[in-house]
């Protein structure tokens, strides 16, 4: 799978959104899901987020991390720039969940501004994310500044 981050799409996406992708970490699984940008990722579909006002109100809820990833053109070429994470909590069996909109939107905005904030990911999750991004697009990884890569370990 290739990140669809190579420029404007046929709908004329504003430049600041043309480089945004969502990578989800759901337990052991990690994958790109552009639907998350509009709150319609595969893990969100069919889940009722209206009833819970906190993660504690989701019985046996499992965290799913949404990692916003942006690109930037550096001297050596396009590479990863902004990488931020936020979490939602879901009980797939009961089809209920908690989605804190402010952190999701704020982290998306920070990623689009080239910030890196993975403070709510575990060390293991950061390592998985680094491995995933490197293997997904080795060209982008090679052009990513070392200071960005260092925050993924």
């Amino acid at each position: 799978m290739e990140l669809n981050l190579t420029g404007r799409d046929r709908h004329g996406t504003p430049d600041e959104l043309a480089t945004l992708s969502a990578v989800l970490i759901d337990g052991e699984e990690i994958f790109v899901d552009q639907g998350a940008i509009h709150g319609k990722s595969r893990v969100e579909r069919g889940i009722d987020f209206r009833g819970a006002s906190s993660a504690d109100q989701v019985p046996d809820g499992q965290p799913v991390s949404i990692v916003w990833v942006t690109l930037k053109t550096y001297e050596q070429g396009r590479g990863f720039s902004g990488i931020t994470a936020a979490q939602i909590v879901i009980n797939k069996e009961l089809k209920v969940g908690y989605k804190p909109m402010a952190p999701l939107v704020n982290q998306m905005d920070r990623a689009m501004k080239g910030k890196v904030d993975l403070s709510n990911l575990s060390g293991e999750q950061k390592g998985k994310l680094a491995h995933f991004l490197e293997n997904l697009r080795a060209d982008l990884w090679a052009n990513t500044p070392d200071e960005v890569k260092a925050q993924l370990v």
Side-chain angles (χ1 to χ4, degrees), residues 104-119:
L104 284 166
V105 172
N106 289 338
Q107 288 293 67
M108 180 190 293
D109 182 61
R110 294 186 78 215
M112 290 192 311
K113 291 177 179 172
K115 307 292 183 196
V116 178
D117 178 5
L118 300 171
S119 58

Side-chain angles (χ1 to χ4, degrees), residues 49-58 97-100:
F49 291 101
R50 296 172 294 175
S53 58
S54 75
D56 297 337
Q57 293 179 338
V58 179
Y98 171 66
K99 185 188 315 190

Side-chain angles (χ1 to χ4, degrees), residues 72-81 138-149:
K72 179 178 177 179
T73 301
Y74 298 99
E75 217 174 277
Q76 66 274 22
R78 287 176 69 79
F80 297 110
S81 172
D139 59 323
L140 296 175
W141 185 258
N143 294 331
T144 300
D146 289 339
E147 59 268 16
V148 172
K149 292 178 186 176

Side-chain angles (χ1 to χ4, degrees), residues 14-15 21 37 59 71 89 144:
D15 285 339
S21 284
I37 294 171
L71 298 180
V89 176
T144 300

Side-chain angles (χ1 to χ4, degrees), residues 15-136:
D15 285 339
E16 65 272 9
L17 294 177
T19 63
L20 178 67
S21 284
V23 175
L24 277 67
I25 303 173
D26 181 13
E28 295 298 313
E29 193 177 8
I30 185 167
F31 54 94
V32 175
D33 191 332
Q34 292 300 84
I37 294 171
H38 301 288
K40 296 180 181 185
S41 68
R42 73 180 193 208
V43 298
E44 294 169 283
R45 280 182 255 146
I47 303 294
D48 183 2
F49 291 101
R50 296 172 294 175
S53 58
S54 75
D56 297 337
Q57 293 179 338
V58 179
D60 298 318
Q62 297 299 312
V64 175
S65 295
I66 300 177
V67 182
W68 305 114
V69 179
T70 60
L71 298 180
K72 179 178 177 179
T73 301
Y74 298 99
E75 217 174 277
Q76 66 274 22
R78 287 176 69 79
F80 297 110
S81 172
I83 307 172
T84 61
Q87 286 189 335
I88 59 176
V89 176
I90 295 174
N91 179 315
K92 293 175 187 175
E93 286 183 28
L94 298 177
K95 298 187 183 291
V96 296
Y98 171 66
K99 185 188 315 190
M101 290 306 295
L104 284 166
V105 172
N106 289 338
Q107 288 293 67
M108 180 190 293
D109 182 61
R110 294 186 78 215
M112 290 192 311
K113 291 177 179 172
K115 307 292 183 196
V116 178
D117 178 5
L118 300 171
S119 58
N120 61 7
L121 295 183
S122 69
E124 180 183 344
Q125 288 174 313
K126 289 177 193 178
K128 278 184 183 180
L129 179 62
H131 184 261
F132 177 79
L133 293 175
E134 182 177 11
N135 288 314
L136 183 68

